[in-house]
Amino acid sequence: MKETDREAVATAVQRVAGMLQRPDQLDKVEQYRRREARKKASVEARLKAAIQSQLDGVRTGLSQLHSALNDVTDIQRSLADVSRDWRQSINTVESLKDVKDAVVRHSQLAAAVENLKNIFSVPEIVRETQDLIEQGALLQAHRKLMDLECSRDGLMYEQYRMDSGNTRDMTLIHGYFGSTQGLSDELAKQLWMVLQRSLVTVRRDPTLLVSVVRIIEREEKIDRRILDRKKQTGFVPPGRPKNWKEKMFAILDRTVTTRIEGTQADTRESDKMWLVRHLEIIRKYVLDDLIVAKNLMVQCFPPHYEIFRNLLSMYHQALSTRMQELASEDLEANEIVSLLTWVLNTYTSAEMMGNAELAPEVDVSTLEPLLSPDVVSELLDTYMSTLTSNIIAWLRKALETDKKDWLKETEPEADQDGYYQTTLPAIVFQMFEQNLQVAAQISEDLKTKVLVLCLQQMNSFLSRYKDETQSYKEQHLRDRQHPHCYVQYVIAIINNCQTFKESIVSLKRKYLKSDAEAGVSLSQPSMDGILDAIAKEGCGSLLEEVFLDLEACVEDAAQHDGHVWRPPPAAKQHLSELMTRKWLLGSNAVDTICVTVEDYFNDFAKIKKPYKKRMTAEAQRRVVLEYLRAVMQKRISFRSAEERKEGAERMVREAAQLRHLFRKLASGFGEDADGYCDTITAVAEVIKLTDPSLLYLEVSTLVSKYPDIRPWSPQAPNMGRVSWG
């Protein structure tokens, strides 16, 4: 108590200190005292009320305990009286055993009398039930079957109660009602037949399906009642439980599986499109069946059967099993595409499970995949492997076909702009396009993989293409009269290179989301390099044709036929006439050179601009280089300053003539084509020099302006290297 008092005093002091923190609060001391007095009085009143309530409860409890004690005493006396009476009546109960047995027998006889009419009428009811089943009156047949089973089960139950070990009487009753089980089986067959045709029946005669469901529901209720009684008595009639609801779903499941499997009407041997046809039939059947189930069948079944959800699950599982079977077969590449497109896209599209008529009951986002990711991956690997082999074979065949065209005696076809071309680029990229469109139907990832594969094989193909064009050139050089249209087909090959480059860029732009996707852009520089090398080699081959003819051109250039001019074997060599005495006296070698070059370039006009531009510049470089080589070879010695002046002036005129030619050939390229020809003019200025003291200065100026004029070699860049003396 002392500790409590101290705590109370400390608390009070703390509260008073809190109230009197400021001087002006001293004026409210009396007010605080009255407030605390009121609180104290209130607390004391509540304490008194609580104590009084506790005292009243204790008083009431004591009173109830006294009453309970009296009741217990009375019960104890009553139990003693009952015990005494029970001991006195034991002998009396034992003397009533015969009465008990008589009651049991009476109960059994009463049940027998009650079912006597049914017992005697069993054969007749069996016949009537059989007739009703054959007539299709399933509900009436089931009602009579239930009466038979009820009579049988009642008799067997009474026998079980009287003597559960008496198997002879049980067998006798079961044998008498033996036809009942056969009727049950026969009725079940009819039910299953209706269920197997339920999707057809529900459209023609939904009442028949409703009758089947009602019969199954009756049997389910009887099964539940029998199982509940089994827990109490242990008795189960023969043939129970029937579990017809479970069997119904099993029948529907088998029906769905059979319907899916039965849609394959063709084989690969009879129809190459067998799988496409098979999948389309499955799609149509499944969609139609589910729409019927959603709109009609759900009205024939109780809601707790969830018939549509169960049918949807059955169809999904049957489809998954069927797709697994198809995937395990040795499918061709196009069949793999058809299967994966159907499984990954068609199945969840608006053409099937995503159809508006199935919404909202069918949510495609909740459907499990028909094929596992491992199976899909394996199919894709097989497809990519087969596609790789096919692309290689297709490219090889396309190249062989193109090579045969090179040997034709007719010119290649021209495109809408008049440029020569062959069908090779169109064939190759049409094949690529078809495979990419097919891959895009399956997935974006496969589309990218196929594009990578196409570009990789294109890279290898271009290397082979380059080798074949080189062989084509070598074959022509062995006999320049064959092939007849060599120049035209080389032009077509050059144009093909530009078409290939444009098609590759177009293909990547169309089928790639970004240039960096999958690293595909890394393939482009390599292919561009090969194509440029092929085109460069082709341009070089054409220029070789020009210069081979220039070395053997005739003096009369007017004899050319308007196409690529082929001089006769007896022609003179006009390139060798340059800077000779004959040239100084009036040779028309440069005229013939200009006519020949222009004549060739009339055909070269059918080369596409990027390569024609390079080829024109290269032709000018080589013509000027041949001219300078003639100068440096000192084929002529001028006898006087007058001859030197005349030769220099002729060089200036011929430089202007060549300049005019190449300006004409380069028209439309937007670049100055005079640079090379100016070299001839510069050399002419040195030749016509009359003051020997200025020779060194002029030569130094020429060499500084054209540093490549030095000892010549075939590998020299730019103008080529010629010796200056």
Short mmCIF file of all heavy atoms in Angstrom, two decimals, residues 10 29 85 129 138 166 211 253 386 472 528 673 701:
data_model
loop_
_atom_site.label_atom_id
_atom_site.label_comp_id
_atom_site.label_asym_id
_atom_site.label_seq_id
_atom_site.Cartn_x
_atom_site.Cartn_y
_atom_site.Cartn_z
N ALA A 10 3.18 10.94 -6.29
CA ALA A 10 4.05 11.39 -7.39
C ALA A 10 3.23 11.81 -8.61
O ALA A 10 3.51 12.82 -9.26
CB ALA A 10 5.03 10.28 -7.75
N VAL A 29 -6.53 28.22 -9.29
CA VAL A 29 -6.33 27.10 -8.37
C VAL A 29 -7.66 26.60 -7.83
O VAL A 29 -7.91 25.39 -7.77
CB VAL A 29 -5.40 27.52 -7.22
CG1 VAL A 29 -5.38 26.46 -6.12
CG2 VAL A 29 -4.00 27.78 -7.74
N ASP A 85 -34.28 -50.60 -10.60
CA ASP A 85 -35.31 -51.15 -11.48
C ASP A 85 -34.70 -51.94 -12.64
O ASP A 85 -35.23 -52.96 -13.07
CB ASP A 85 -36.17 -50.00 -12.03
CG ASP A 85 -37.00 -49.32 -10.94
OD1 ASP A 85 -37.17 -49.95 -9.88
OD2 ASP A 85 -37.43 -48.18 -11.17
N THR A 129 -40.23 -52.85 -70.41
CA THR A 129 -39.04 -51.98 -70.41
C THR A 129 -38.21 -52.19 -71.67
O THR A 129 -37.73 -51.22 -72.28
CB THR A 129 -38.18 -52.27 -69.17
OG1 THR A 129 -38.97 -52.14 -67.99
CG2 THR A 129 -37.00 -51.32 -69.09
N LEU A 138 -37.10 -43.40 -73.66
CA LEU A 138 -36.08 -43.65 -72.65
C LEU A 138 -36.53 -43.29 -71.25
O LEU A 138 -36.20 -44.00 -70.28
CB LEU A 138 -34.81 -42.88 -73.02
CG LEU A 138 -34.21 -43.19 -74.41
CD1 LEU A 138 -32.95 -42.38 -74.63
CD2 LEU A 138 -33.92 -44.68 -74.54
N ASN A 166 -26.24 -64.94 -45.28
CA ASN A 166 -27.01 -65.92 -46.05
C ASN A 166 -26.88 -65.58 -47.54
O ASN A 166 -27.74 -64.92 -48.13
CB ASN A 166 -28.48 -65.88 -45.61
CG ASN A 166 -29.28 -67.03 -46.23
OD1 ASN A 166 -28.81 -67.72 -47.13
ND2 ASN A 166 -30.48 -67.24 -45.72
N SER A 211 -33.79 -35.62 -72.12
CA SER A 211 -34.23 -36.87 -71.47
C SER A 211 -33.04 -37.68 -70.99
O SER A 211 -33.04 -38.23 -69.88
CB SER A 211 -35.07 -37.70 -72.45
OG SER A 211 -36.24 -37.00 -72.84
N ASP A 253 -15.76 -37.35 -74.27
CA ASP A 253 -14.33 -37.19 -74.53
C ASP A 253 -13.89 -38.09 -75.69
O ASP A 253 -13.16 -37.65 -76.59
CB ASP A 253 -13.55 -37.51 -73.27
CG ASP A 253 -12.08 -37.12 -73.39
OD1 ASP A 253 -11.79 -36.12 -74.08
OD2 ASP A 253 -11.23 -37.81 -72.82
N THR A 386 15.96 -28.13 -93.20
CA THR A 386 15.42 -28.47 -94.52
C THR A 386 15.45 -27.26 -95.44
O THR A 386 15.79 -27.37 -96.63
CB THR A 386 13.98 -28.99 -94.38
OG1 THR A 386 13.95 -30.08 -93.45
CG2 THR A 386 13.43 -29.44 -95.72
N TYR A 472 33.12 -17.88 -117.54
CA TYR A 472 32.45 -17.44 -118.78
C TYR A 472 33.39 -16.55 -119.60
O TYR A 472 33.50 -16.69 -120.83
CB TYR A 472 31.18 -16.68 -118.39
CG TYR A 472 30.33 -16.22 -119.54
CD1 TYR A 472 29.88 -17.11 -120.51
CD2 TYR A 472 29.93 -14.89 -119.65
CE1 TYR A 472 29.08 -16.70 -121.56
CE2 TYR A 472 29.12 -14.46 -120.69
CZ TYR A 472 28.70 -15.37 -121.65
OH TYR A 472 27.90 -14.95 -122.68
N ASP A 528 28.09 -6.56 -100.79
CA ASP A 528 28.35 -5.41 -101.66
C ASP A 528 29.73 -5.50 -102.30
O ASP A 528 29.92 -5.18 -103.48
CB ASP A 528 28.23 -4.11 -100.85
CG ASP A 528 26.78 -3.73 -100.61
OD1 ASP A 528 25.90 -4.40 -101.17
OD2 ASP A 528 26.53 -2.78 -99.85
N ALA A 673 34.75 15.20 -117.33
CA ALA A 673 35.47 14.03 -117.86
C ALA A 673 36.68 14.43 -118.68
O ALA A 673 37.14 13.69 -119.54
CB ALA A 673 34.51 13.19 -118.70
N THR A 701 57.78 20.94 -114.85
CA THR A 701 56.39 21.33 -114.59
C THR A 701 55.43 20.19 -114.91
O THR A 701 54.49 19.89 -114.16
CB THR A 701 56.02 22.57 -115.42
OG1 THR A 701 56.92 23.63 -115.11
CG2 THR A 701 54.59 23.01 -115.13
#
